[in-house]
Structure formats: structure tokens, C-alpha cells
Amino acid sequence: MKFISILFVFFYFSSSIKAQNKEIPIDSIDYELRANAFQYAFGALNYCELSDFPKLDESKATSRFLNRFIPQRIYDMCDWLFDRFGKVKSVKLKNVVIDSLDRIHFRYKANYAEFDRVVDFRVVFNKENKVHWMHYQTHWDEDFSFFSDEELQVVRIDDLPYTLMEQHKEFVLSNYQYKDSTFLNYIKPELLAYPKKVKSWTADIVHERDSIYTKLGDFENLKLKEKLISNNDYLVYRYSVNFDKLDDPSEVRLYCDLKDRYVGVRVVDIWCNEYYKADVSLKERIAKDIIKGK
């Protein structure tokens, strides 16, 4: 079967550090940088064929981006959005924000033919005006926020409370076991980082959960392998898991704030001992498939 090559999301809410971010006038940005940002945003949302997306090398993108955000992920993201939301109707630059690390975030409003909300797509540049990251959210929020997985540090797990471990398992299972929105009835609002937003996301949550179930089947053997903490004050709990339709272990990532309130859940179709190695493994797998003519 074809592997999932992007991270499918059960639900996902960004954490905000508003005080450290500054919106700047669009017309103050260098024209060439604005043109490049739009080219990448428009390409990522419209060019779902391997040959169409603008070529990026070390003169235009950081090594971190080139190593982790491989072309196949861009194309798969485009396909993922097209399959669910239809054709792109418009892509418009809404605002530009500089964060605490002097990275420039270009925020685009993307409207789709078969989706009644606005997608927030972003192209992020570093201080050298190289592409640092691209990502999106399937809703638009006027307040700028961002979610990053940079500089994650490993935290010991041998002293985690048993009650917390059971709570995590119950949360992940409730997302997956109930085949409609009733799973929300089993999650206490005080355990969610953003409880007021959950209702507006119910349809998307159910749709993504069903997509994962169709592709991977049921799962068992949920085991905590690693806990990480980010420089932006959030936690990642990495669980290994066995899906019915995959021979090898996969990964479920549980994201929480520092109070262990849930931010989101992601499923990665391959287990790697190191957090960042999933992208490398995907890159190697794609290369092998090309050699085999797949």
C-alpha cells in the first residue's frame, strides 16, 4: 500500500506568543521577497505535480527546510488539500509578521471551491531571506500565532504519574474509537488547551480521524517511548503503535501545553527512534520507490 507521507491531524490548535511578534506593513517588504513568497505559496497550493513547483536549493532555502520539508511533502500537501477542499479559488497575502527570532511570516488567505472556511497558509523566511518553513491551518484567526517543533529537548519519562499516562491513553483512544463526534463527550473541557474552539473544529476532526482509519485500520499496543519539550513551551509525547494495515510500528504524537492540556494529536505512518528521523526515512523511502519505478 502507499504510505502516508504527510502528518494527518486529529486536531491541532496553535499556541500564541503575541507579545514577541510584530506585524509590519506589507508595502515595506522588499518586492522580490514578496514575489518569492507568493510564488511558493501559490505553488504549494496549486502545483500538485512534481515538476511544477519552483525549485529550491541552498541559495533560496535553509538546509533545515531542504532536509525536512522534502518536495514530496509539498506535493502530498497539495493533493491532500485538493482532495478535501477542491480547487483553489484565490490566494491573497493578508499580513506579514516578524517573530522573536526575526523570522518573517507571510500569511495568505486561501479560499477553496468546496470548503466554507479560509485556509491560513504561511511561508516563513529567516533573516537571510531564505525559506525556513511552510505550513497551514484549516481556519483563519486574525490573531497571529505559530506552532514550531524546533529545539526539542528530551525529558525523562520514568517518573510520570500513572494517572497522567492513563489519561493520555484514554484521550487518544476516545479520538479513534467513536466513529462520530460523540468522542468529544468523553473529553473534559479542562483537559483541552483551547476548549472554546473544539466545537467549530468537530467536522474536521471527524473527517481526519475517518481518513486515518480508512488508510491504516485499527491500532493496538500504544506505548510511550519519549517525551520532549520545546523552546516555545509545549510538550510532545511520542507513542509507538501497531496499525492493522501496516507491518511495522507507527507513531502517535500527543501535543500538550506545559499544564498537560491537549493541543492536538498527529499520526506518522512510520516509527523512528529519533523525532526528526521520520522525514529522513520518508526521503529514503521515496528515493527507493523512484529507483523501483513506482
Side-chain angles (χ1 to χ4, degrees):
M1 65 174 290
K2 181 180 180 180
F3 285 92
I4 298 174
S5 53
I6 62 173
L7 301 178
F8 288 99
V9 182
F10 284 162
F11 64 91
Y12 164 83
F13 305 117
S14 296
S15 57
S16 178
I17 50 175
K18 299 177 184 177
Q20 300 177 7
N21 307 314
K22 180 178 68 174
E23 183 172 348
I24 59 177
I26 293 176
D27 57 10
S28 70
I29 303 296
D30 176 73
Y31 175 80
E32 183 178 357
L33 182 61
R34 273 188 287 162
N36 287 339
F38 180 78
Q39 181 185 32
Y40 302 142
F42 187 86
L45 295 173
N46 287 275
Y47 301 147
C48 298
E49 297 296 328
L50 297 180
S51 59
D52 292 335
F53 188 81
K55 298 296 187 292
L56 291 172
D57 55 28
E58 292 184 356
S59 68
K60 298 179 180 179
T62 64
S63 57
R64 176 182 184 273
F65 179 86
L66 294 173
N67 288 334
R68 298 188 57 202
F69 214 100
I70 59 178
Q72 187 65 44
R73 289 185 65 179
I74 298 175
Y75 314 135
D76 287 342
M77 177 176 63
C78 181
D79 281 334
W80 186 90
L81 291 167
F82 178 79
D83 288 344
R84 286 158 179 77
F85 307 145
K87 292 183 178 180
V88 179
K89 294 172 59 179
S90 63
V91 180
K92 296 181 180 180
L93 179 62
K94 174 62 177 178
N95 55 28
V96 181
V97 177
I98 296 181
D99 67 23
S100 60
L101 299 178
D102 291 330
R103 294 173 300 202
I104 305 174
H105 299 247
F106 287 79
R107 297 182 68 202
Y108 294 89
K109 282 188 172 181
N111 288 280
Y112 283 81
E114 301 172 20
F115 191 50
D116 59 0
R117 294 202 299 275
V118 176
V119 171
D120 180 352
F121 189 87
R122 305 180 188 185
V123 181
V124 185
F125 292 85
N126 68 2
K127 290 186 289 187
E128 287 75 38
N129 290 343
K130 293 183 178 182
V131 179
H132 173 77
W133 202 243
M134 295 183 194
H135 63 120
Y136 71 91
Q137 298 179 140
T138 55
H139 76 292
W140 179 271
D141 193 332
E142 292 299 328
D143 293 329
F144 173 82
S145 58
F146 74 95
F147 191 83
S148 171
D149 60 1
E150 295 181 59
E151 300 180 20
L152 289 163
Q153 304 295 322
V154 177
V155 181
R156 60 184 296 181
I157 60 175
D158 55 358
D159 60 348
L160 289 178
Y162 174 78
T163 52
L164 179 64
M165 302 288 291
E166 290 301 301
Q167 177 183 297
H168 284 182
K169 290 181 179 179
E170 181 180 358
F171 174 71
V172 174
L173 289 171
S174 67
N175 270 267
Y176 207 71
Q177 287 181 333
Y178 303 102
K179 303 309 178 189
D180 52 32
S181 61
T182 57
F183 75 91
L184 291 172
N185 300 330
Y186 297 86
I187 302 174
K188 297 177 181 178
E190 60 268 26
L191 296 181
L192 300 173
Y194 305 96
K196 293 182 179 180
K197 292 186 178 181
V198 172
K199 287 186 178 180
S200 65
W201 273 73
T202 301
D204 291 335
I205 295 170
V206 173
H207 185 88
E208 291 312 309
R209 188 268 317 284
D210 291 347
S211 175
I212 296 170
Y213 186 83
T214 299
K215 292 177 173 64
L216 304 183
D218 214 335
F219 70 83
E220 60 182 1
N221 300 327
L222 188 70
K223 297 179 181 178
L224 179 63
K225 294 292 187 179
E226 188 174 53
K227 176 184 177 182
L228 305 162
I229 185 170
S230 82
N231 60 330
N232 286 333
D233 297 333
Y234 71 92
L235 305 171
V236 183
Y237 293 90
R238 302 183 63 214
Y239 285 85
S240 67
V241 65
N242 294 99
F243 282 97
D244 290 344
K245 298 182 181 180
L246 294 178
D247 295 330
D248 298 320
S250 301
E251 178 180 355
V252 172
R253 294 178 181 174
L254 180 58
Y255 292 83
C256 301
D257 64 13
L258 294 184
K259 295 182 179 180
D260 270 305
R261 295 176 301 186
Y262 302 121
V263 177
V265 181
R266 287 181 170 179
V267 173
V268 186
D269 71 338
I270 184 172
W271 172 264
C272 295
N273 290 331
E274 296 180 31
Y275 180 86
Y276 297 113
K277 286 293 181 66
D279 293 325
V280 176
S281 297
L282 172 61
K283 194 172 185 178
E284 293 174 349
R285 188 168 64 206
I286 291 170
K288 290 179 181 178
D289 286 347
I290 291 175
I291 293 173
K292 293 178 182 178
K294 294 184 178 180

